[in-house]
Amino acid sequence: MTTLLGPRLGTLVGRLRRRPGDTPGRPARRSNPDAVVDCAVYVNGRREAGRPHYADAYARTRRGRNAFVWLGLHDPGAAVLAAVGQVFGLDELTVAQALADGHRPTVQRHGPVTLLVLRTAAYVAQGELTATSDVVDTGDVMVLLGDRFVVTVRHGASGALAPVRRAIEGRPSLLAEGPWAVAYAVTARMVDLYLEVAAHLERDLERVEETVFAPDHAADIQQIYQLKRELVEFKRAVLPLQEPLRALVTGPDGGLPAGLRRWYVDVEGRLTRAVDRITTYDELLNSLLQSRLAQLAVDQNNDMRKIAAWAAIAATQTAVAGVYGMNFARMPELSWRYGYPAALALMATAAFTLHRLFRRSGWL
């Protein structure tokens, strides 16, 4: 009796432990970690159904033709990236670079893997521009490209890639070019974000320009300086991308498919427009800052002239009062009946005359 109960009990426990979706005789399906935003296999430019584990998806692409896997990660931890690197054959340096954020835009070759680093940018709307307003939020996206895979690692809140995936999945002919088509779509999205942020910054600059040259000079120099700092951060995200993108377009060994070269040329042209706008905004903001500093110097000069004019008017009153306050025995008009009113009249006349002269000269 005991001998028969043991195997049956083991079978019952195995059935209870098995998940509903598992099939007897097959290994249990693995689930992606939380850092995985999406994972899909693309064959001939079309996505296969489901969202498999990235290891299973990569194994599927290695068995087929014209197939690759796109794995999207957002702020992954060291353990997740280490596991991903082991599956896709990434070396230790590549994994370490993908784990850290704040890298400069660049293109690097690590054996069969190409690392493309892009900076993200997003405009943060502010009801009113203050001395501490953060109007540009930046992050980075790292694109790891292999023969049959592309891994995108995003750091920061800006630059979500879900719209990029949906858009390029609607263009199977472009997606059929392989992993570099995904790199193109991500790069194009980042450049489009640069142009959007540049348009918002242009409106902020117009508002600042209006306040700087307003009659009441309402613009605070700290606001201008804060906008200058935000523009400098935005420039650091955009301008360094020119060199690696040009290297991809013109370089003979960049691994870029010939069918995608003209698309990258188009992105390079849009990036040039963004760089030109940023350079123009930087020069305009420098001019506004210098204009505001000049206005402050002029205002201080005007205040000093007003103070000097009122000091001169007060000095005449002090001089007359000081002379008659000496209390000498022999002084003119001491015994005159109208001496006191005459002294007051002299002081009032001197003050009125100086006030008219200063007003005419623009000091008051």
Side-chain angles (χ1 to χ4, degrees):
M1 184 69 177
T2 305
T3 306
L4 295 176
L5 183 60
R8 293 179 180 179
L9 183 60
T11 303
L12 179 61
V13 172
R15 290 177 179 178
L16 291 176
R17 288 181 177 177
R18 187 181 299 131
R19 292 180 296 181
D22 295 342
T23 304
R26 296 182 181 179
R29 289 181 297 179
R30 293 177 289 186
S31 59
N32 289 307
D34 294 336
V36 174
V37 179
D38 200 355
C39 181
V41 175
Y42 297 90
V43 180
N44 294 322
R46 299 190 180 277
R47 176 171 181 163
E48 290 191 341
R51 183 183 168 186
H53 188 271
Y54 58 85
D56 299 333
Y58 186 49
R60 161 71 182 86
T61 61
R62 299 180 70 178
R63 292 192 300 266
R65 297 182 59 185
N66 299 326
F68 70 94
V69 57
W70 178 3
L71 173 64
L73 303 173
H74 181 215
D75 288 332
V80 174
L81 271 180
V84 170
Q86 185 176 5
V87 170
F88 293 99
L90 306 179
D91 58 25
E92 184 178 355
L93 176 60
T94 305
V95 173
Q97 288 180 328
L99 183 61
D101 57 352
H103 291 286
R104 182 184 175 91
T106 184
V107 173
Q108 299 178 4
R109 294 283 295 182
H110 298 271
V113 179
T114 301
L115 172 63
L116 173 62
V117 180
L118 305 169
R119 296 287 293 173
T120 65
Y123 180 80
V124 182
Q126 302 286 344
E128 181 180 358
L129 187 63
T130 64
T132 58
S133 298
D134 292 331
V135 297
V136 179
D137 181 27
T138 59
D140 55 43
V141 172
M142 300 186 182
V143 184
L144 302 169
L145 298 147
D147 183 35
R148 292 181 177 269
F149 70 87
V150 53
V151 180
T152 54
V153 183
R154 181 168 64 92
H155 298 282
S158 60
L161 300 180
V164 179
R165 189 184 288 264
R166 289 193 299 267
I168 197 172
E169 285 178 354
R171 305 169 65 183
S173 60
L174 180 63
L175 197 55
E177 295 289 343
W180 280 99
V182 176
Y184 155 74
V186 174
T187 306
R189 175 58 179 169
M190 296 303 108
V191 174
D192 290 340
L193 290 177
Y194 299 158
L195 293 173
E196 292 178 9
V197 174
H200 288 292
L201 287 176
E202 183 178 6
R203 287 192 288 269
D204 287 340
L205 283 172
E206 289 175 354
R207 290 198 297 267
V208 171
E209 186 177 12
E210 291 175 357
T211 56
V212 166
F213 295 102
D216 55 351
H217 304 316
D220 188 355
I221 194 170
Q222 294 181 353
Q223 298 177 3
I224 303 176
Y225 183 70
Q226 176 64 16
L227 190 59
K228 172 70 173 178
R229 289 182 58 188
E230 294 295 314
L231 186 61
V232 168
E233 182 180 358
F234 184 44
K235 188 196 306 185
R236 290 174 180 171
V238 179
L239 267 63
L241 183 58
Q242 289 180 289
E243 183 177 352
L245 194 57
R246 187 178 302 112
L248 283 177
V249 174
T250 60
D253 56 349
L256 189 64
L260 291 175
R261 191 172 298 273
R262 62 189 183 96
W263 295 100
Y264 278 85
V265 171
D266 177 70
V267 174
E268 184 184 15
R270 282 183 285 167
L271 178 64
T272 302
R273 291 201 303 270
V275 170
D276 291 341
R277 290 185 182 182
I278 295 173
T279 303
T280 302
Y281 299 160
D282 191 27
E283 295 175 353
L284 177 59
L285 200 53
N286 287 334
S287 300
L288 293 177
L289 187 60
Q290 295 298 325
S291 299
R292 187 63 185 129
L293 290 175
Q295 289 176 352
L296 291 175
V298 171
D299 292 340
Q300 291 177 354
N301 188 34
N302 291 334
D303 293 338
M304 292 300 298
R305 291 196 301 178
K306 290 179 181 179
I307 293 173
W310 286 111
I313 294 174
T316 58
Q317 319 302 308
T318 304
V320 175
V323 169
Y324 280 93
M326 292 180 182
N327 297 323
F328 289 110
R330 296 181 180 276
M331 290 188 67
E333 294 89 23
L334 284 180
S335 58
W336 184 32
R337 179 179 179 180
Y338 301 104
Y340 181 69
L344 293 179
L346 175 61
M347 295 169 66
T349 302
F352 178 76
T353 302
L354 289 176
H355 187 271
R356 289 293 301 273
L357 291 175
F358 284 129
R359 285 291 298 271
R360 185 177 302 177
S361 62
W363 282 45
L364 288 177

